[in-house]
């Protein structure tokens, strides 16, 4: 019996899940649930589209729902509501609100005897696990997370809201010298500005005041004011030709000491270089969807995170094969 | 109540555990168990030494034993025998015999209602987990493990057995070009020789035939014949001055494709750079010792591996704190 996956929300992430499921021989796609009129949604692989309004009609027929909405407004509502009726998994990534989201989802998942895995992806997600492992192994140390080079959707959107801007793409870039110092075990104190550069590609309306736009970007609080920011004005043609991808990545590094007097240093590093941020996140979600179904079969209920998932739950291979071939 | 740790075997690994326990505020060292006469063993921190023969007298007083013997002859006997009476953890690293060791240990641990975590360290151990995670996330891909630069104890010992050799140190070194090709996502086919170089530092007896020794090293089956091997003859003084450390490390890289037609590539990389191989392994053992005690309290019995341990079990922090600060 294959694991039946339902996709809720059909944007970049939903399409990524649709593709990722095909790479896993123990899974099949049940369907896509959309807020849009199902007849208006064309899927990549021809999988059936249903109205999200009717999703309770499918209760009992789906092993796990992968909820692919946004963290700002979709997931805080959808994940708890759906967790009452289905096993669910989401990629909720507003770090400051994870505890609150956890509590809301936990209550509803327990009510329905379901499992809900939240904040699955790469950060939060794989980066979080690596922070945990490295801190547990090297208690006397310091860790650093660098993001990029990659597109930040939030920062790109912030630029697009400036008067006179037609389109924008913002790349977050780790400062190479800072990464090198961390890799050498120097444990430097790094300010926000020391760690990342923000590089912006902007298409302006004809006749717009470019120096005003550049100044508004560079002085924007929270988003850019604390960083060294580079602004390039380009044509719409260049934007479409050179900046249509959604690459991302980053690195988690922990440097720590061992020995009777801390005489030995160790560096643990985990890094990702991703051509497509949403497709990689989708692939993480699909692996954890397998884990969610298995954990629920083992009697595990309520809200869980990647911290609660033993690695073996993620793999298609049996425990014996894992021990014989991967350990 | 602190977790009470017992150390079985007092070599480099045992001393590493002794130091690592001091970095974890929820643990304390109960004592060291040695096959040697306890009066002849001086510990780094003054912790008490007992005879291994009397270890059953301490049953019920120790939360977990960290067994620090060798994989060739110690662990296959000690881990099953002790698992009947204590929670235990070892770093059994003979990959080909893990399945057999698992079965032996599992039977005895279940007999005693204990948990036994085997093959804990970095390879097997952290590298294994990273192979599993990366394979589960990117099913269509290929992964590579490179070791080094670091000292291989087994290869150093093999050289020492050659007639005319007083001392030897062998460094395993990944071939930089091969690592680069993997990092670029080329998914190359790599032979044993393509992946690692073996560099040997040898102290020969006065008057020994150096070219015979060099030839015997380079043609030694399994150990050196399949590799590009470099041999340096040095003085005992140089050996002691320049080669007394036990550094090691390495990297696990998986490169895989996603998208409807595999159009996007992703690289997942986990790397370690260790000043002291035994001290790092000890630090991993100590973190998993915490997990073993907690899992046993949760009713988990029998033999387990790192694949079965949910990351949260390793951390001193509460589930709430982990979600709030690390996720």
């Amino acid at each position: 019996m294959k694991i039946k996956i339902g996709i809720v929300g059909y944007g970049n992430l939903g399409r990524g899940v649709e593709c990722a499921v095909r790479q896993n021989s123990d899974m099949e796609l049940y369907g896509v649930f959309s807020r849009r009129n199902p007849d208006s949604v064309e899927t990549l692989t021809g999988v059936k589209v249903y109205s999200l309004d009717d999703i309770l009609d499918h209760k009992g027929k789906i092993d796990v729902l992968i909820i692919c909405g946004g963290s700002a407004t979709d997931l805080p509502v959808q994940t708890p509501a759906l967790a009452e009726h289905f096993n669910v998994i989401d990629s909720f990534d507003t770090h400051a609100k994870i505890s609150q989201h956890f509590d809301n989802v936990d209550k509803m998942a327990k009510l329905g005897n379901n499992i809900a895995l939240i904040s699955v992806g790469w950060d939060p997600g794989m980066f979080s696990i690596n922070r945990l492992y490295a801190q547990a192994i090297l208690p006397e140390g310091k860790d650093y997370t660098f993001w990029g080079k990659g597109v930040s959707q939030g920062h790109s959107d912030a630029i697009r809201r400036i008067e006179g801007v037609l389109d924008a793409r913002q790349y977050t870039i780790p400062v190479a010298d800072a990464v090198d110092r961390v890799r050498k075990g120097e444990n430097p104190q790094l300010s926000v500005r020391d760690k990342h550069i923000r590089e912006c590609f902007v298409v302006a309306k004809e006749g717009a005041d470019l120096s005003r736009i550049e100044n508004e970007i560079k002085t924007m609080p929270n988003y850019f004011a604390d960083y060294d920011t580079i602004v390039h004005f380009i044509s719409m043609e260049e934007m479409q030709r050179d900046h249509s991808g959604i690459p991302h990545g980053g690195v988690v590094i922990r440097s720590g000491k061992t020995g009777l007097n801390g005489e030995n240093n160790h560096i643990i590093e985990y890094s990702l270089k991703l051509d497509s941020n949403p497709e990689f996140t989708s692939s993480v979600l699909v692996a954890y969807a397998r884990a969610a179904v298995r954990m629920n079969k083992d009697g595990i209920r309520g809200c869980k995170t990647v911290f609660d998932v033993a690695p073996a739950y993620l793999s298609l291979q049996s425990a014996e094969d894992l021990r014989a071939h991967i350990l």
Side-chain angles (χ1 to χ4, degrees), chain A:
Chain A
M1 279 290 281
K2 293 196 176 188
I3 296 172
K4 290 191 180 59
I5 307 265
I7 296 173
V8 176
Y10 195 65
N12 284 334
L13 205 56
R15 279 189 289 272
V17 169
E18 183 184 9
C19 297
V21 165
R22 305 199 321 163
Q23 296 187 332
N24 291 278
S25 59
D26 61 333
M27 300 182 175
E28 64 187 17
L29 215 47
Y30 178 90
V32 168
F33 295 87
S34 172
R35 276 177 302 213
R36 288 175 275 169
N37 173 359
D39 296 334
S40 74
V41 179
E42 205 173 327
T43 57
L44 292 173
T45 64
V47 65
K48 203 159 161 42
V49 183
Y50 302 96
S51 168
L52 184 55
D53 293 338
D54 303 331
I55 194 164
L56 290 188
D57 298 345
H58 303 267
K59 192 168 167 171
K61 299 178 188 166
I62 297 168
D63 293 305
V64 57
L65 291 177
I66 303 182
I67 310 180
C68 298
S71 296
T73 56
D74 299 333
L75 300 178
V77 177
Q78 291 178 342
T79 308
L82 292 169
E84 190 187 347
H85 304 286
F86 299 91
N87 293 321
V88 298
I89 171 167
D90 79 17
S91 61
F92 186 79
D93 67 358
T94 311
H95 289 263
K97 295 186 178 168
I98 287 177
S99 297
Q100 184 192 327
H101 187 56
F102 181 93
D103 291 338
N104 294 340
V105 173
D106 190 49
K107 202 170 55 187
M108 301 306 283
K110 282 178 176 159
L111 212 59
N113 274 326
N114 296 312
I115 189 168
L117 272 178
I118 62 161
S119 301
V120 176
W122 60 275
D123 197 358
M126 300 313 297
F127 272 19
S128 321
I129 293 175
N130 276 280
R131 285 187 284 263
L132 190 160
Y133 277 126
Q135 290 181 16
I137 295 169
L138 297 174
E140 293 181 6
K142 197 163 156 53
D143 54 27
Y144 298 82
T145 302
F146 294 94
W147 295 274
K149 181 182 177 176
V151 174
S152 164
Q153 220 57 64
H155 288 78
S156 301
D157 288 343
I159 300 172
R160 287 192 200 100
R161 286 192 292 266
I162 293 174
E163 169 71 33
V165 170
L166 287 176
D167 198 5
R169 201 74 83 257
Q170 194 267 185
Y171 295 92
T172 306
I173 305 172
V175 175
D177 177 61
V179 179
D180 283 349
R181 291 180 61 199
V182 171
R183 281 200 182 120
K184 282 187 197 142
E186 289 181 21
N187 286 359
Q189 288 291 343
L190 298 173
S191 69
V192 157
R193 188 181 303 272
D194 292 336
K195 289 182 69 187
H196 295 96
I197 293 165
R198 300 203 174 274
E199 185 173 27
C200 314
F201 294 85
V202 181
V203 182
K205 275 188 195 144
E206 218 181 297
D209 179 348
L210 302 188
S211 64
R212 175 191 54 80
I213 292 175
E214 178 164 350
N215 186 57
E216 279 193 43
I217 295 171
K218 289 185 170 177
T219 58
M220 195 185 298
N222 302 319
Y223 285 88
F224 294 100
D226 299 333
Y227 296 86
D228 288 336
T229 301
I230 302 161
V231 177
H232 309 277
F233 289 97
I234 61 174
S235 68
M236 189 58 92
E237 193 191 0
E238 288 170 309
M239 177 64 78
Q240 284 160 356
R241 188 190 63 205
D242 303 333
H243 302 283
S244 63
I246 319 175
H248 219 313
V251 55
V252 175
I253 306 174
R254 185 165 180 91
S255 151
K257 307 274 183 200
T258 66
L260 198 58
N261 303 299
E263 58 272 33
N264 287 311
N265 197 63
H266 308 277
I267 307 280
I268 304 174
E269 176 168 343
Y270 180 80
S271 78
L272 296 174
K273 220 161 61 197
L274 314 174
D275 276 358
S276 164
N277 184 358
E279 285 182 10
F280 186 80
T281 302
S282 303
S283 296
V284 178
L285 280 164
V286 167
Y288 275 93
R290 173 184 295 124
V293 172
R294 292 176 171 179
M295 290 170 75
N296 188 249
K297 281 196 177 132
D298 281 354
I300 299 172
R301 311 279 184 254
C303 191
K304 303 288 167 188
T305 75
V306 291
F307 296 151
D308 305 307
V309 180
Y313 276 121
L314 298 167
S315 174
L316 234 173
Q317 293 186 55
S318 70
E320 292 74 19
D321 283 346
L322 287 175
R323 287 195 294 271
H325 304 301
I326 298 190
L327 193 62

